[in-house]
C-alpha cells in the first residue's frame, strides 16, 4: 500500500511555523507582515480563493489588506494601485488574483509588482532568479510540492523525475527546483510522445496537466513517488460533482508514496503564500 502524503497536516505545520515567525517579527519590530490581495471582478472561484487566503493570513497574524475592484476597472487604475502598494513600506507582499478580466493585460500587471513583494513569484526577475538558482521568491505551488516530496526523499541527486505539464506556474518552476537538487528532470506536455514510457522510468512523477486520471497504474514504476497537482471537477452519473486529480490513485498501490486530491498539494499552496509573505517582509527588513 502506498504511503499517503498528508498535505493538510504538512500545511498545518508550515502555517504554525509561519505564525511563530510572525509573532517573533511583531515582538522585534512592532510590525506584522502585510499582504495586499487584489481581486478584480466577481469570478466565483477567485472569490473563494481570496477568502481562504485572507482567512489564513489572519490566523497566522499577517495583516491582509483586501482591494476589491469592479470588473470594469481600467488597467491604468490597477497599475496605479500596484505603484501605491509597491511604495508602501507596510505592504510586504502583493498578490493579484488571476484570472483578470479580459480587457486587462495580466502580464503587464504582474510585471509591475516590485520583485521583492511578488509573493506569487511570477515576476520575470523572480523567474530568472529561480532558473539561475540565485534566490528570490518562488511560486507557491512548486514550493509546496517540494515540501511534500521532502517528507519522503532526502537526496534527489540522480533521481529521474517526470514532470507532466510545462506551465509557468507549476511545471516549469517545479522543474527548476528539482534541477537545483540535482535530479534528472524530463518536462513533458500535451505533445510529448510515449509519455507512459517516460513516466515509467521516473522515481518521482509530478502530474500537473489538468487531465482527470491521466496517470494510470501502469505508468508508475514500483516504489515511485507520485505528486498529483491536478484539480479537475467531474460530474458523476447521478449529477453530483467532485474534485479528482490527474492520477488514478486507486491504481497506485505499488507506488512508494502518493498525494491525495483533495488534501495533497492544494493546502500547501496557501501555506507557502504566507511563508513567502514572511520571507518578503524579512528580506525588506534587512535591505
Ligand atoms: P495549464 O493548463 O497552464 O498547463 C497544463 C499543462 O499540462 C500544459 O503544459 C499541457 O501541455 C499539459 N497537458 C495537458 N494535458 C495533457 C496530457 N493529456 N498529457 C500531457 N500533458 C498534458 O495548467 P496549470 O495551471 O499548470 O495547472 C495544472 C493542473 O494543476 C490543473 O488541474 C490546475 O487546476 C492544477 N493546479 C493546482 C494547484 C494547487 O494548488 N493544487 C495550483 C495550480 C494548478
Amino acid at each position: 500500500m502506498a504511503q499517503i502524503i498528508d498535505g493538510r497536516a504538512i500545511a498545518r505545520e508550515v502555517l504554525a511555523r509561519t505564525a511563530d515567525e510572525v509573532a517573533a517579527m511583531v515582538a522585534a519590530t512592532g510590525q506584522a507582515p502585510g499582504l495586499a490581495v487584489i481581486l478584480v471582478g466577481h469570478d466565483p472561484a477567485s472569490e473563494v480563493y481570496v477568502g481562504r487566503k485572507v482567512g489564513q493570513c489572519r490566523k497566522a497574524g499577517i495583516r491582509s489588506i483586501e482591494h476589491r475592484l469592479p470588473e470594469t476597472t481600467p488597467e491604468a487604475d490597477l497599475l496605479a494601485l500596484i505603484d501605491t502598494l509597491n511604495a508602501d513600506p507596510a505592504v510586504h507582499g502583493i498578490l493579484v488574483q488571476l484570472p483578470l478580466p479580459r480587457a486587462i493585460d495580466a502580464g503587464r500587471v504582474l510585471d509591475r509588482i516590485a520583485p521583492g513583494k511578488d509573493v506569487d513569484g511570477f515576476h520575470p526577475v523572480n523567474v530568472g532568479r529561480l532558473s539561475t538558482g540565485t534566490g528570490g521568491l518562488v511560486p507557491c505551488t512548486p514550493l509546496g510540492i517540494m515540501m511534500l516530496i521532502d517528507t519522503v526523499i532526502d537526496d534527489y541527486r540522480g533521481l529521474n523525475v517526470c514532470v507532466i505539464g510545462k506551465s509557468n506556474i507549476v511545471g516549469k518552476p517545479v522543474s527548476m527546483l528539482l534541477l537545483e537538487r540535482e535530479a534528472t528532470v524530463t518536462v513533458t506536455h500535451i505533445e510529448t510522445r510515449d509519455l507512459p514510457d517516460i513516466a515509467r522510468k521516473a522515481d518521482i512523477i509530478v502530474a500537473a496537466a489538468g487531465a482527470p486520471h491521466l496517470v494510470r497504474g501502469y505508468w508508475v514504476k514500483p516504489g515511485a513517488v507520485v505528486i498529483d497537482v491536478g484539480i479537475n471537477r467531474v460530474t458523476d452519473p447521478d449529477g453530483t460533482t467532485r474534485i479528482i486529480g490527474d492520477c488514478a490513485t486507486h491504481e497506485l498501490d505499488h507506488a512508494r508514496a502518493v498525494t491525495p486530491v483533495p488534501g495533497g498539494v492544494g493546502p500547501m499552496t496557501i501555506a507557502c503564500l504566507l511563508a513567502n509573505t514572511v520571507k518578503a517582509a524579512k528580506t525588506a527588513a534587512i535591505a
Side-chain angles (χ1 to χ4, degrees), residues 95-265:
L95 180 145
V96 178
Q97 184 65 44
L98 300 176
L100 286 167
R102 241 183 273 183
I104 296 178
D105 180 337
R108 216 165 14 227
V109 169
L110 297 180
D111 287 3
R112 193 70 160 241
I113 298 172
K117 297 190 178 189
D118 168 39
V119 283
D120 261 336
F122 296 156
H123 190 284
V125 165
N126 284 317
V127 176
R129 284 191 176 282
L130 177 59
S131 40
T132 50
T134 51
L137 290 159
V138 174
C140 304
T141 302
L143 201 55
I145 292 170
M146 293 304 292
M147 289 180 188
L148 295 178
I149 308 176
D150 282 345
T151 64
V152 285
I153 289 182
D154 300 323
D155 187 354
Y156 290 67
R157 284 175 298 177
L159 294 183
N160 288 325
V161 185
C162 173
V163 175
I164 307 176
K166 62 168 183 68
S167 73
N168 291 334
I169 65 167
V170 189
K172 283 183 198 158
V174 82
S175 303
M176 292 299 153
L177 292 169
L178 289 157
L179 280 174
E180 270 309 298
R181 306 285 287 271
E182 315 282 0
T184 302
V185 184
T186 306
V187 186
T188 67
H189 48 79
I190 190 82
E191 300 296 345
T192 298
R193 296 191 193 136
D194 306 323
L195 179 51
D197 289 343
I198 297 170
R200 217 172 6 246
K201 293 191 181 76
D203 304 296
I204 304 170
I205 296 174
V206 177
H213 288 182
L214 173 71
V215 178
R216 303 289 308 276
Y218 71 95
W219 291 36
V220 176
K221 82 170 174 186
V225 173
V226 181
I227 305 295
D228 191 347
V229 190
I231 301 176
N232 308 291
R233 188 176 294 279
V234 293
T235 306
D236 288 330
D238 67 0
T240 53
T241 60
R242 63 199 164 93
I243 301 290
I244 66 169
D246 285 357
C247 303
T249 314
H250 55 284
E251 297 178 4
L252 300 183
D253 281 354
H254 59 294
R256 172 170 165 202
V258 300
T259 60
V261 175
V265 175

Side-chain angles (χ1 to χ4, degrees), residues 7-88:
R8 288 198 181 104
I10 298 161
R12 271 197 299 276
E13 288 169 20
V14 175
L15 289 168
R17 269 202 306 274
T18 304
D20 288 347
E21 287 182 68
V22 170
M25 285 185 77
V26 173
T29 66
Q31 192 190 35
L35 174 67
V37 182
I38 305 174
L39 175 62
V40 186
H42 297 285
D43 177 67
S46 294
E47 301 246 11
V48 172
Y49 292 141
V50 164
R52 278 190 204 149
K53 288 169 186 174
V54 169
Q56 290 293 348
C57 276
R58 294 209 173 117
K59 275 193 202 163
I62 292 174
R63 233 167 27 85
S64 72
I65 311 114
E66 271 181 83
H67 294 270
R68 291 178 180 255
L69 307 179
E71 180 88 21
T72 51
T73 301
E75 185 178 303
D77 290 8
L78 179 54
L79 294 176
L81 171 61
I82 292 172
D83 288 344
T84 305
L85 297 170
N86 281 341
D88 185 343

